[in-house]
Amino acid sequence: MTKLMNAVVLTGYGGPDKLIYQQVPQPQPQSGEVLIKVGACSVNNTDFNTRTGWYAAQGSFQAILQDQAENSVDTSTSWQQAGITFPRIQGADIVGTVVGVGDGVNPEIINHRVICDPWIRTGKLAEYKYIGSEIDGGFAEYTVVPQTNVYPIQSSLSDVELASIPCAYSTAENLVTKARVSAEDVVLITGASGGVGSAAIQLCKIRGAKVVAVVGVNKERLAWSLGADYVYYRDEQLATNLTKHQFTVALDVVGGDNFPLLLKNLEIGGRYATSGAIAGPMVNLDLRDLIYKDLEMIGATRLESAVFQRLVNYIEKDLLKPIVAEVFPLEKIHEAQKFFQTKSFFGKVIITPSV
């Protein structure tokens, strides 16, 4: 008999009604894969971006839905600029216990607690895949993951705490790596009260950099606790406050109207790196800032396995301080995402399956 499990299934592009909590067949590990009993998995912006078609660089969400209705095909795009196959189980941040293996996998890994790298590297950059987007993820009681993406972990952190790390911290470590942050830098971090931003504070401080964090109102306390040297609100005083510093690096996950401030406050030869645009992807760019200040602009999405391995090393050395804002059971996915969208919290929102 086919074993069943509870999962949240994304049935198509649209609103929260496209997320259905239901029973589905438990996956079975194929060659080179492991079966994981999920302990925890966190909510990320990418879950919403995928569901709403936000990644489509051309057209609009309404046009996507109209095209689907008229042609009965999926012509919208993902972050990879390729269509998503539905149904899909989302959830990139998988932490749990290995309970089965496919052919070619050493069975000694069974019963080990593991954390998963969400990037599936299958060749060229253009062919990379992401867990919860191109393959099923962790919003379920069980999931299968390629052995190459599974890291046994020795840590006093709980599954819930560890689940706050894979997506946000690997994104932040990729930003910090590509921007070549060192102890010589003064780093401006936007969105510093969110998952990626709060991770970036810690990762910059590990490298010895000076950090200036920009946060929402009433979120400064935790930014200080993570090591930020200066903390400013995202308000009408921000432009004035930023002129107090000489930034060599800007790490941006916000975009939107404040984008010009970042380039104007970078030193000559500075580096701007971005991995998100939660305030909007369309920005005003004065090319004179880019050209005559000899700035670098860096996009940071895909990352190499060495980036994730560094995170595992940091975890096992107790160098990271994951912040958990709230925990929801799997069947409360709608409530969890509604809470996530309030942006009234500091840290990560975690989903735990009811096994």
Side-chain angles (χ1 to χ4, degrees), residues 67-85:
D67 190 56
Q68 282 184 278
E70 292 176 352
N71 299 296
S72 299
V73 296
D74 173 17
T75 58
S76 59
T77 60
S78 66
W79 65 272
Q80 197 187 34
Q81 303 298 296
I84 291 291
T85 300

Side-chain angles (χ1 to χ4, degrees), residues 272-295:
Y272 167 90
T274 179
S275 64
I278 59 176
M282 306 305 294
V283 298
N284 291 318
L285 169 62
D286 186 334
L287 283 174
R288 290 169 293 189
D289 289 325
L290 178 63
I291 297 168
Y292 302 114
K293 294 176 73 174
D294 287 283
L295 301 181

Side-chain angles (χ1 to χ4, degrees), residues 215-281:
V215 301
V217 175
N218 298 323
K219 297 180 180 179
E220 72 282 1
R221 180 178 59 83
L222 283 172
W224 287 116
S225 74
L226 294 177
D229 297 282
Y230 300 89
V231 182
Y232 298 120
Y233 287 144
R234 190 172 54 252
D235 59 15
E236 64 277 359
Q237 297 299 314
L238 181 59
T240 299
N241 286 329
L242 293 187
T243 62
K244 301 174 183 178
H245 306 276
Q246 293 182 314
F247 301 105
T248 56
V249 177
L251 304 181
D252 186 23
V253 298
V254 176
D257 293 340
N258 284 329
F259 170 82
L261 291 178
L262 308 186
L263 297 197
K264 290 187 181 299
N265 284 282
L266 276 172
E267 284 190 344
I268 291 175
R271 288 98 70 195
Y272 167 90
T274 179
S275 64
I278 59 176

Side-chain angles (χ1 to χ4, degrees), residues 23-45:
Q23 287 200 317
V24 299
Q26 179 180 308
Q28 297 301 310
Q30 303 303 305
S31 178
E33 295 180 336
V34 301
L35 175 66
I36 297 172
K37 181 179 180 181
V38 178
C41 187
S42 69
V43 178
N44 292 290
N45 283 309

Side-chain angles (χ1 to χ4, degrees), residues 111-249:
N111 295 325
H112 280 265
R113 186 164 72 137
V114 295
I115 187 170
C116 299
D117 177 357
W119 282 100
I120 310 298
R121 301 169 187 87
T122 55
K124 299 178 181 178
L125 280 180
E127 298 171 348
Y128 280 26
K129 298 177 182 179
Y130 201 69
I131 292 176
S133 179
E134 283 70 46
I135 69 171
D136 285 341
F139 289 160
E141 292 179 334
Y142 295 87
T143 190
V144 293
V145 176
Q147 177 194 15
T148 52
N149 289 70
V150 173
Y151 291 76
I153 190 78
Q154 298 293 327
S155 173
S156 61
L157 296 174
S158 67
D159 285 359
V160 165
E161 291 170 315
L162 286 173
S164 70
I165 291 176
C167 178
Y169 279 74
S170 65
T171 298
E173 178 67 12
N174 197 37
L175 274 173
V176 171
T177 298
K178 288 190 171 183
R180 306 188 303 281
V181 173
S182 74
E184 304 299 317
D185 287 309
V186 179
V187 183
L188 171 62
I189 300 175
T190 67
S193 54
V196 175
S198 61
I201 293 174
Q202 299 172 65
L203 295 167
C204 286
K205 296 307 294 183
I206 287 174
R207 287 163 169 79
K210 182 175 290 184
V211 171
V212 179
V214 179
V215 301
V217 175
N218 298 323
K219 297 180 180 179
E220 72 282 1
R221 180 178 59 83
L222 283 172
W224 287 116
S225 74
L226 294 177
D229 297 282
Y230 300 89
V231 182
Y232 298 120
Y233 287 144
R234 190 172 54 252
D235 59 15
E236 64 277 359
Q237 297 299 314
L238 181 59
T240 299
N241 286 329
L242 293 187
T243 62
K244 301 174 183 178
H245 306 276
Q246 293 182 314
F247 301 105
T248 56
V249 177

